[in-house]
Amino acid sequence: MTEPRRRPGPKRALTEEAVLDAALTLLDTDGPGAASIRRIAAALGVSPNSVYTYLPDKSAIEQALVERLLGDLNRAAPGGDDWRADLEALALDLRRRLTAHPGAVPLLLGGAMNGPEALLLGERLLDLLDRAGLAATEAARGAYLIMSYVLGAIALEVADVPRAGALAPERDRIAARRAAMSQVPAAMFPRTAAAVDVTATWIGTEQYLWGLRRVLDGLSTHA
Amino acid sequence: MTEPRRRPGPKRALTEEAVLDAALTLLDTDGPGAASIRRIAAALGVSPNSVYTYLPDKSAIEQALVERLLGDLNRAAPGGDDWRADLEALALDLRRRLTAHPGAVPLLLGGAMNGPEALLLGERLLDLLDRAGLAATEAARGAYLIMSYVLGAIALEVADVPRAGALAPERDRIAARRAAMSQVPAAMFPRTAAAVDVTATWIGTEQYLWGLRRVLDGLSTHA
DNA sequence: ACCTGAACACCGTTCAAGT
DNA sequence: ACCTGAACACCGTTCAAGT
């Protein structure tokens, strides 16, 4: 992450940062799987092997990408005096950043969340739930519950659309979801078919926040 | 899925079922990514191209695998008179089946949940929440919330272990989690480090069920 | 120290040909 | 109708060689 002293030798053509930039751009442009080492190298005008100078292998690139995204989130800390507002803002910010890079979502859910930035995010959740008045055990379990819900909801939302680079605007995705649901045979799935008319915004920000609030309600009830 | 009438022609060497069996075995043995068309074909003693006779492409194999797992779950319906017990049993059964095939979890969260068995599972959730006394809107949103939590929690749990074929026994995974957490520097992540001592079973069945109950509490509170 | 080209062991998928 | 071998355009990674 830091480069303390440069050793002698030929000039570096790249930086770890540049490799991650290229990987993220490919992910955003051409979807998951597009961030291959060979395509990253090509985008940087360098031979594939050269990438191995900066990161040891493919999975290191993926982990570093996850850490960068979480680091950006952690550094954009709001920090007001209302724990509930802060928690909702944090959850919404995570969702905003991940839906902006849908190709990166599988990386988050595919690898262990044990990097420094992932730990820092967990620490922030624990702090928020402490401010909420939860006991240590409830806070620890609650933080894991919130993380599970938040990542699961984002993953389902991102997976819902046939993957092709960037995510469509939320209004379009909701419309597509409703259109798809209206095609469900009511004879076989009566409740699912009926649910189309029940609410206009079945997925999207509103549903995400609704779910988060039910989770927080459940935590308060228990405390 | 069904084979109504066989057309004339040479004998079929395989069935779609056999292809999926081989794919799942490879997934269980060698982890995600092991279920390549070429390895499936090799395991079945057939040329790679031959697989395309039964399923149109790789993603069709993955979708069919997901549908089979959800189908098994749907067909193992318990159905008592206590909606809460039924819901918890269903959630536990899903978790049990997915942790038995950790390599299949990314397939579930990577593709849209819109196959017949996925719809049927959604239908069952809606029915359970209707029995819980929830109004139609709350049931629809609640079903989506439960699905998000349940899949997110399972994905985090499966991703927590360095992926290598089958999942270790839960007791071992909890011990490994605790060991890893005890290595977290307390100076930098005080709350995370303190959480190690807070509860002996921080992940696993107990945490999963605890989270589900908080979600259900939140739904009841809101209703 | 960092780059390169060449190679190895893989992929998914398509094509043309056999029966 | 279903199989096969051969081929195409890819992968991640390693090795040996250049500067």
Side-chain angles (χ1 to χ4, degrees):
Chain A
M1 201 144 282
T2 56
E3 282 127 317
R5 293 151 287 159
R6 288 289 321 288
R7 302 273 197 70
K11 54 213 164 288
R12 293 198 145 216
L14 313 169
T15 60
E16 180 183 317
E17 177 111 6
V19 173
L20 298 182
D21 283 341
L24 196 53
T25 300
L26 282 165
L27 236 37
D28 294 345
T29 311
D30 299 341
S36 70
I37 289 186
R38 295 178 109 104
R39 288 188 66 173
I40 291 170
L44 294 167
V46 107
S47 101
N49 302 341
S50 179
V51 173
Y52 287 91
T53 302
Y54 303 93
L55 291 144
D57 55 24
K58 181 84 181 296
S59 81
I61 297 179
E62 296 174 348
Q63 284 174 237
L65 223 37
V66 167
E67 280 290 293
R68 161 190 277 204
L69 289 173
L70 294 180
D72 291 345
L73 175 72
N74 285 330
R75 237 152 282 122
D81 53 348
D82 180 357
W83 71 268
R84 212 176 165 105
D86 287 356
L87 184 43
E88 291 184 2
L90 180 63
L92 282 172
D93 199 13
L94 176 62
R95 174 173 173 274
R96 193 175 53 76
R97 301 180 112 93
L98 288 183
T99 50
H101 303 291
V105 171
L107 307 183
L108 256 165
L109 272 143
M113 298 272 291
N114 52 11
E117 299 292 357
L119 288 175
L120 186 51
L121 179 57
E123 192 77 8
R124 290 183 65 193
L125 278 178
L126 289 174
D127 183 57
L128 282 164
L129 293 182
D130 179 67
R131 283 166 55 198
L134 262 62
T137 306
E138 266 68 36
R141 307 197 99 128
Y144 195 84
L145 161 58
I146 290 170
M147 210 63 194
S148 300
Y149 164 67
V150 155
L151 289 182
I154 294 170
L156 279 186
E157 190 170 353
V158 164
D160 196 50
V161 70
R163 314 286 299 94
L167 226 56
E170 180 162 317
R171 198 177 54 251
D172 297 350
R173 287 188 288 120
I174 291 173
R177 178 36 116 122
R178 279 173 58 76
M181 280 184 69
S182 71
Q183 300 287 45
V184 167
M188 216 172 325
F189 309 105
R191 296 180 190 279
T192 306
V196 191
D197 303 323
V198 148
T199 168
T201 56
W202 209 67
I203 58 169
T205 311
E206 193 179 317
Q207 165 71 23
Y208 177 76
L209 208 47
W210 186 91
L212 179 64
R213 285 176 176 152
R214 296 298 75 71
V215 169
L216 298 183
D217 287 350
L219 287 174
S220 319
T221 305
H222 190 68
Chain B
M1 200 143 281
T2 56
E3 283 129 314
R5 292 154 285 157
R6 290 289 320 290
R7 300 274 198 70
K11 54 212 164 286
R12 293 198 144 215
L14 313 170
T15 60
E16 180 183 318
E17 176 112 6
V19 173
L20 297 182
D21 283 342
L24 196 54
T25 300
L26 283 166
L27 237 35
D28 294 344
T29 311
D30 299 341
S36 70
I37 289 185
R38 294 176 110 105
R39 289 188 66 174
I40 293 170
L44 294 167
V46 107
S47 100
N49 303 339
S50 179
V51 173
Y52 288 91
T53 303
Y54 303 92
L55 291 144
D57 55 25
K58 182 85 180 296
S59 80
I61 296 179
E62 295 175 348
Q63 285 175 237
L65 223 36
V66 167
E67 280 290 293
R68 163 190 277 204
L69 289 172
L70 294 179
D72 291 345
L73 175 74
N74 285 329
R75 235 152 284 123
D81 52 350
D82 180 357
W83 71 268
R84 212 176 168 106
D86 287 355
L87 185 41
E88 291 185 2
L90 180 63
L92 282 172
D93 199 14
L94 176 62
R95 174 172 174 275
R96 193 175 53 76
R97 302 181 112 93
L98 288 184
T99 50
H101 304 291
V105 171
L107 306 183
L108 255 166
L109 273 142
M113 299 269 292
N114 53 13
E117 299 292 356
L119 288 174
L120 186 51
L121 179 57
E123 191 78 8
R124 289 183 65 193
L125 278 178
L126 289 173
D127 183 57
L128 284 164
L129 294 183
D130 178 66
R131 282 166 55 197
L134 263 61
T137 304
E138 266 67 37
R141 307 197 99 127
Y144 195 83
L145 161 58
I146 290 169
M147 210 62 195
S148 299
Y149 164 67
V150 155
L151 290 182
I154 295 170
L156 280 185
E157 189 169 354
V158 164
D160 197 49
V161 69
R163 313 286 299 95
L167 226 55
E170 180 162 318
R171 198 176 55 250
D172 298 349
R173 287 188 287 120
I174 291 174
R177 180 31 119 122
R178 280 173 59 77
M181 279 183 70
S182 70
Q183 299 288 47
V184 167
M188 215 173 325
F189 309 105
R191 296 178 190 280
T192 306
V196 189
D197 303 322
V198 146
T199 168
T201 56
W202 209 67
I203 59 168
T205 310
E206 193 180 316
Q207 165 70 22
Y208 176 76
L209 209 46
W210 186 91
L212 179 63
R213 285 177 176 152
R214 295 298 76 73
V215 169
L216 297 183
D217 287 351
L219 287 174
S220 318
T221 305
H222 188 69

